[in-house]
Amino acid sequence: MLQSCSQNGSKTLRFTMGARYRPIQLYYCVQARQVHNTPPWRPATTLDEWVGKEARPISLRQLMVFGRSLTEARLISSANYVRTELPTRLAHRIRDMQTLPYVVVTNPHISQVYELYYKAFESLRKVREIKTLEDNEKFCKKISQTLQEHLTVIPKLSMGVIECWDLMKPEDMDKFMNTILRSRISRRVIAEQHLALTETFNSPWHFPDSPNASNTGTEFVGEVFLKCNAGEVVNRCYKTILSLSSATYGATTPLPTLKLSGHLDATFPYILSHLEYIIGELLRNSIQAVVERQKSSPRGWEETPPAIEVTVCEAPQHVIIRVSDQGGGIPHDTLQYLWSFSKGPRSSQRLENLTQVPKMAATLQELRVSSDIPTSLHPPPEPHEKSEHSGSGHDSSLSSLSSRPPNLRLGMGLPLSRVYAEYWAGSLELHSLEGYGVDAFLQISKLGNKNEQLTMRASMDAV
């Protein structure tokens, strides 16, 4: 049955399904705008069943303990956890997308993401219980293929929300993006962790029946780095970002040095690629700000540019990393859009730039490295850094920064970094002194005992 009514001057279509399915009402605000790629109609009963399930969040400590003594039974248990969690988490995000205004869902970019999610949901929910190693190998191939197919999600979503900025309240659009990206991280974490555990189990040096199987000397359990050292990560990120900046601005442009201080021996368990992405974005923003302030000044810096100061502070339950620069701070008219995915003074330029990045992995980073970067800055991977081409395991987050021009601004580095930080119950805050510089504060849970922060529950009656 189709009813039409008016609300606040805009036309509203109300669709009411018959008694064959549980009564659900769909409210779509249709505005005077061309609509593309209408998603096909699908019965809601199957999706309702999965939306009714609760997610089972995990912590870094659980990932570490479970993966240390890896046996066939544990690997099969991990596979079945992923088998049920992936379609559950996908179902909630599909339901969230169904609650968007119809004209937003039919945006070409968002519609493509919707179809990708539904395709993955239908494929994964039909996987039967995994009972053997052969079953697990088939399952790993399926989730590896899904991970590859979903590399287009971040650019597509970003272009979609920018194009639809005037169709929803900015705070609602940013909340939607925050939720869907956090859920995306969660799915990739559990999928990539299982792929890494499978690779470990199949490796020639793994002996599950050995009494010392849990003490192999490795610093990684799956994707979790057991002793992540903030000082080492900052130094490594700085060297990579420095080489990228040198290739962008020219070898003659003076670049700021790094001044690192504090508790440099502090270690904590973390997913290394997440930390590298956040630190890399903060350092890249700081170096860009210092260089651009230098170019805008008639006299430039009288001497060398002021250093980027990074301080590491270890507390009983947290590690705090402060990144300080003297790049002139953030203009007041830009500050209010700092964490927004959908609005900002350079939205049209961001949209154009995003068309140059068809794929972006964020946690599973691109393997392409700019030819402008000296190969000496990209040493061969360590034993724990596994190639994506092996079917499981993934390269460092830093490779994503080198897979696109470093000065290509996408407008998502800071908001996405905050999503990463908050995912493991951390935080990311910026304090700007306009005319002087910026202080960024990254707080990380040191103990690894915090569950992943999921905005998971979608309403059964939301549609």
Side-chain angles (χ1 to χ4, degrees):
M1 179 178 178
L2 175 63
Q3 301 173 338
S4 65
C5 58
S6 61
Q7 183 177 1
N8 299 327
S10 62
K11 186 177 180 182
T12 302
L13 299 183
R14 175 179 299 173
F15 298 86
T16 306
M17 294 185 181
R20 182 177 178 182
Y21 300 104
R22 178 180 58 80
I24 300 176
Q25 290 182 326
L26 310 180
Y27 299 88
Y28 298 129
C29 295
V30 182
Q31 301 186 14
R33 180 174 294 216
Q34 188 175 5
V35 176
H36 305 272
N37 300 337
T38 303
W41 182 88
R42 299 177 175 95
T45 49
T46 301
L47 187 65
D48 285 346
E49 176 186 346
W50 286 89
V51 170
K53 298 180 180 181
E54 294 281 358
R56 294 176 289 168
I58 53 174
S59 67
L60 285 169
R61 179 174 293 179
Q62 287 175 308
L63 292 177
M64 291 185 294
V65 172
F66 187 86
R68 268 180 172 161
S69 301
L70 190 59
T71 63
E72 179 176 338
R74 285 199 168 194
L75 187 65
I76 298 300
S77 176
S78 170
N80 283 304
Y81 169 78
V82 176
R83 176 183 65 88
T84 56
E85 281 296 296
L86 289 181
T88 299
R89 300 184 185 198
L90 278 168
H92 284 268
R93 299 292 69 83
I94 292 170
R95 176 53 50 85
D96 282 343
M97 297 183 78
Q98 289 176 345
T99 65
L100 296 173
Y102 186 70
V103 73
V104 174
V105 180
T106 54
N107 172 275
H109 305 298
I110 295 180
S111 179
Q112 289 177 37
V113 174
Y114 181 86
E115 289 303 311
L116 274 175
Y117 277 20
Y118 225 114
K119 176 186 175 183
F121 167 71
E122 288 290 344
S123 174
L124 293 168
R125 75 176 180 83
K126 296 176 182 177
V127 176
R128 296 186 177 183
E129 181 182 359
I130 296 167
K131 298 180 179 180
T132 66
L133 292 177
E134 290 74 19
D135 292 342
N136 180 60
E137 289 299 322
K138 294 178 182 178
F139 180 60
C140 286
K141 290 180 181 179
K142 181 180 289 288
I143 59 177
S144 294
Q145 180 183 357
T146 301
L147 290 175
Q148 291 296 323
E149 290 176 350
H150 286 208
L151 288 176
T152 61
V153 166
I154 291 181
K156 291 294 183 185
L157 280 175
S158 300
M159 287 189 284
V161 299
I162 292 175
E163 291 180 350
C164 298
W165 69 270
D166 59 338
L167 302 179
M168 288 178 63
K169 293 180 180 179
E171 56 268 26
D172 291 338
M173 185 66 84
D174 288 332
K175 181 180 179 181
F176 163 74
M177 277 291 286
N178 188 293
T179 299
I180 204 165
L181 289 176
R182 188 176 299 191
S183 178
R184 181 184 185 276
I185 292 171
S186 78
R187 297 192 306 274
R188 298 191 80 89
V189 164
I190 61 176
E192 291 171 10
Q193 179 72 2
H194 180 67
L195 291 174
L197 291 179
T198 299
E199 183 177 11
T200 298
F201 185 85
N202 293 332
S203 63
W205 58 84
H206 177 66
F207 303 100
D209 297 327
S210 169
N212 297 320
S214 62
N215 185 25
T216 60
T218 180
E219 294 183 327
F220 278 75
V221 175
E223 294 290 304
V224 182
F225 191 20
L226 303 181
K227 295 183 178 180
C228 188
N229 183 289
E232 293 178 0
V233 173
V234 170
N235 268 316
R236 186 165 61 251
C237 289
Y238 172 75
K239 291 177 182 178
T240 301
I241 301 302
L242 194 68
S243 65
L244 288 168
S245 300
S246 179
T248 301
Y249 299 113
T252 59
T253 301
L255 299 175
T257 58
L258 175 68
K259 183 179 179 181
L260 185 60
S261 61
H263 302 144
L264 302 183
D265 295 328
T267 61
F268 49 92
Y270 213 72
I271 294 183
L272 189 58
S273 62
H274 291 191
L275 183 61
E276 287 178 337
Y277 184 88
I278 301 170
I279 297 296
E281 284 293 333
L282 294 178
L283 290 175
R284 190 160 68 99
N285 287 341
S286 290
I287 291 177
Q288 282 183 341
V290 171
V291 171
E292 291 178 5
R293 187 183 186 191
Q294 169 186 319
K295 289 186 175 182
S296 64
S297 174
R299 298 175 57 187
W301 300 110
E302 295 183 357
E303 299 178 358
T304 58
I308 307 295
E309 298 184 16
V310 179
T311 306
V312 180
C313 174
E314 182 181 17
Q317 296 189 7
H318 299 94
V319 172
I320 301 172
I321 303 172
R322 182 186 67 182
V323 180
S324 303
D325 66 61
Q326 297 180 37
I330 302 171
H332 182 72
D333 60 341
T334 304
L335 194 60
Q336 59 181 319
Y337 304 115
L338 197 61
W339 305 108
S340 177
F341 288 97
S342 59
K343 288 197 70 175
R346 302 188 185 95
S347 294
S348 58
Q349 184 61 52
R350 288 163 52 196
L351 187 60
E352 181 180 341
N353 291 345
L354 280 164
T355 61
Q356 303 179 45
V357 188
K359 295 182 179 181
M360 183 177 177
T363 55
L364 172 64
Q365 298 304 325
E366 316 297 342
L367 297 180
R368 292 173 298 140
V369 175
S370 171
S371 58
D372 295 328
I373 303 173
T375 55
S376 61
L377 293 173
H378 296 277
E382 298 296 328
H384 64 263
E385 293 178 342
K386 297 148 281 190
S387 171
E388 201 175 282
H389 299 295
S390 66
S392 63
H394 311 284
D395 231 9
S396 160
S397 292
L398 292 175
S399 57
S400 76
L401 297 174
S402 57
S403 67
R404 66 177 191 264
N407 59 339
L408 188 66
R409 298 190 175 182
L410 305 180
M412 68 172 69
L414 281 177
L416 187 54
S417 294
R418 174 178 270 187
V419 173
Y420 273 121
E422 293 177 347
Y423 176 70
W424 292 118
S427 64
L428 177 61
E429 300 293 339
L430 260 67
H431 299 277
S432 173
L433 296 174
E434 189 172 3
Y436 184 78
V438 170
D439 285 345
F441 294 88
L442 171 63
Q443 179 174 293
I444 297 169
S445 177
K446 176 185 173 182
L447 304 179
N449 59 347
K450 302 292 186 181
N451 280 348
E452 50 182 344
Q453 302 298 298
L454 300 178
T455 310
M456 189 63 208
R457 189 68 184 165
S459 173
M460 287 288 292
D461 299 317
V463 179

